[in-house]
Amino acid sequence: MTASPWARVLLAAVILGAAGITGLLLLRPGPSGSPGGVPSFSPPVSVSPVAPVSAGIQVGQRAPDFQAPLLSGGGGTLSLSALQGKAVMMNFWASWCGPCRAEAPELEATYRRYKDQGLVLLGVDIVQDTWEDAADFVRVFGITYPTVRDVTGKITETYQIVNLPTTFFIDRQGIIRDRYLGGFLGPEGKQELVRRIEALLR
């Protein structure tokens, strides 16, 4: 018996619906937050701001000072003003941010390469993270550069962070000379990182 046109339409709809559900199941986030558990490191990651975003901090302005508790180095606090006289690369990150995790080994290697030339890499873990996860991030990636925790969200608000990672390059006089959104990933990202650091150290 030949199926009626309506029966054929209904059958097609059922098949398409089943295919759609299968696709969604295959694309659902795995343990690493990406399809099937395979890390996805497409920068940048959006962050919900803790306050309305205004014009934000601009290149050429003095970097606003702050003081925050250290995640590394045995506790205590660190202020940005304490680093004046050094070239500072300030990197905002979170433990759950894929691009942050992807660039972490390169940032550590770059810090070790340039620290004797006067570079300080300062990590700032945002308020949307947790102490435990942030400390685990520092341990897993063997981070030796100073890293602070934005426990109130004030630093993130002041610097108007809406994407992760975000990196500021601050000169020895405390002036913001550059800003970079996203991770320094792959050969091109590494070249960009080196170019910006060497420009800052001149």
Side-chain angles (χ1 to χ4, degrees):
M1 178 173 143
T2 304
S4 69
W6 282 110
R8 288 197 295 269
V9 170
L10 181 60
L11 179 61
V14 170
I15 293 172
L16 288 173
I21 292 171
T22 301
L24 288 173
L25 289 174
L26 289 173
L27 290 173
R28 75 183 188 275
S32 64
S34 58
V38 178
S40 176
F41 300 136
S42 299
V45 173
S46 296
V47 178
S48 298
V50 293
V53 176
S54 60
I57 301 298
Q58 302 299 314
V59 171
Q61 294 181 350
R62 180 169 295 279
D65 191 23
F66 60 82
Q67 186 174 55
L70 282 160
L71 268 166
S72 53
T77 61
L78 179 67
S79 65
L80 182 61
S81 58
L83 303 177
Q84 191 157 340
K86 295 181 178 293
V88 178
M89 175 180 161
M90 183 165 63
N91 177 259
F92 286 83
W93 60 274
S95 64
W96 42 259
C97 161
C100 302
R101 301 183 74 87
E103 73 172 0
E106 184 63 30
L107 294 189
E108 175 63 26
T110 301
Y111 168 65
R112 295 188 184 196
R113 176 181 174 186
Y114 287 100
K115 65 179 182 178
D116 291 339
Q117 299 181 40
L119 177 74
V120 174
L121 204 169
L122 175 62
V124 181
D125 179 48
I126 67 170
V127 67
Q128 290 91 339
D129 213 345
T130 68
W131 276 99
E132 294 78 11
D133 289 344
D136 190 57
F137 181 98
V138 170
R139 179 187 61 78
V140 167
F141 291 106
I143 292 172
T144 60
Y145 53 83
T147 305
V148 298
R149 183 106 167 82
D150 183 12
V151 291
T152 65
K154 182 64 176 175
I155 307 170
T156 305
E157 176 187 342
T158 300
Y159 282 85
Q160 296 293 294
I161 304 301
V162 294
N163 293 295
L164 291 179
T166 293
T167 304
F168 290 87
F169 296 82
I170 304 167
D171 70 15
R172 291 178 174 87
Q173 288 71 49
I175 305 300
I176 298 172
R177 294 304 177 192
D178 205 352
R179 177 176 57 185
Y180 188 85
L181 303 180
F184 293 99
L185 307 178
E188 291 183 1
K190 293 178 182 180
Q191 290 174 8
E192 276 297 308
L193 177 59
V194 168
R195 182 182 68 80
R196 291 165 191 260
I197 286 175
E198 292 187 348
L200 189 66
L201 289 172
R202 290 193 192 109

